[in-house]
Amino acid sequence: MEIFPVSGVSSDDLVAIEPQSVDGKFRVITAGSLIRVKGFGLAIKGFQQFARQRPDADFTVIGRGPEETRLKKLAGQSGIAGQIHFLGELPREKLLGEIGSSDVFLLPSLRDGGGTVVIEAMAAGKPVICLDNGGPGMHINKECGIKITPESPRQAVREIAIALEDLYQNDERRAELGRSARKRVEELYLWDKLGDRLKDIYDQAFNPKDASSAD
């Protein structure tokens, strides 16, 4: 069995999402439809635990959805509401710009088949923190981000905070993970290369003798 990604980026996207240097605040970003399975509540609580002693850290939430009111209330009760920002839904170009100017992309999604925004963050040279679930769990490895095996909400929140603190304190580790993330996109997630891989899979499935003789 071969696992094949259903998400990717184009070569033009890779040029447009050039990594940017970030100065000043430690910027954490998340994006997507604001629905419960995306885990944005876990993200806010994890950032809250981390940022209590980090006034130079900001968390930006991009997107809209039925969870928006609850998430804003959660942020307002966090004690660090001034460090959590909701930008609503943005055009893709502006979303990519926000990702490019961040330090870390955080998406503790509980169930996500594709996770295209994770690949876009990788293309921007950003380390990703995610749960080891679904698409994001497949896209991210230890060379390009931090995956958390979810056991309970409390444990996931605690490990998100630990991961954020780790990346906050280690500029070089953050940069190294970002470089590896972008390299992984270049090698595995460009649509042209995915098309070639899919063609090879079909060739092997329908012409096994030709595939084995080519070896």
Side-chain angles (χ1 to χ4, degrees):
M1 182 181 71
E2 180 167 350
I3 298 175
F4 191 85
V6 297
S7 302
V9 295
S10 69
S11 299
D12 290 341
D13 284 336
L14 202 62
V15 173
I17 319 174
E18 280 291 338
Q20 302 176 33
S21 60
V22 181
D23 298 315
K25 288 185 176 291
F26 179 76
R27 294 196 66 219
V28 182
I29 194 168
T30 192
S33 297
L34 302 187
I35 55 178
R36 191 172 289 271
V37 296
K38 293 289 187 178
F40 292 117
L42 299 176
I44 289 174
K45 291 178 181 178
F47 179 81
Q48 176 190 15
Q49 284 192 16
F50 153 73
R52 284 172 181 159
Q53 305 301 322
R54 302 298 183 191
D56 59 335
D58 273 351
F59 184 38
T60 299
V61 180
I62 298 175
R64 292 202 181 279
E67 281 282 280
E68 185 171 355
T69 299
R70 186 184 74 87
L71 294 172
K72 286 182 175 179
K73 182 177 180 181
L74 189 63
Q77 296 171 340
S78 68
I80 55 166
Q83 294 172 250
I84 303 175
H85 313 286
F86 290 82
L87 298 188
E89 191 171 359
L90 296 180
R92 186 166 183 265
E93 182 179 344
K94 289 188 176 181
L95 167 63
L96 297 180
E98 290 291 333
I99 293 174
S101 63
S102 69
D103 292 283
V104 175
F105 190 83
L106 169 60
L107 186 67
S109 183
L110 302 167
R111 187 175 70 245
D112 203 320
T116 301
V117 71
V118 168
I119 298 172
E120 291 169 339
M122 293 165 65
K126 305 302 172 182
V128 174
I129 299 172
C130 68
L131 300 187
D132 194 3
N133 279 335
M138 182 183 75
H139 305 324
I140 300 301
N141 59 26
K142 64 181 180 180
E143 281 75 40
C144 62
I146 299 175
K147 291 195 292 188
I148 295 166
T149 301
E151 298 172 1
S152 70
R154 180 175 297 181
Q155 167 262 346
V157 166
R158 182 176 65 252
E159 293 199 28
I160 288 170
I162 291 170
L164 287 169
E165 181 66 23
D166 177 24
L167 296 180
Y168 175 90
Q169 292 195 24
N170 294 279
D171 292 353
E172 184 49 45
R173 171 166 159 73
R174 209 164 61 232
E176 183 179 346
L177 290 173
R179 287 191 294 268
S180 295
R182 185 171 171 89
K183 181 179 179 183
R184 184 167 169 81
V185 170
E186 292 170 344
E187 293 175 348
L188 298 177
Y189 291 99
L190 292 182
W191 282 123
D192 289 346
K193 292 187 177 182
L194 287 172
D196 291 340
R197 279 181 59 196
L198 189 59
K199 180 179 182 300
D200 289 342
I201 291 170
Y202 275 108
D203 286 345
Q204 292 174 26
F206 291 105
N207 303 290
K209 291 182 180 180
D210 293 344
S212 59
S213 63
D215 293 338

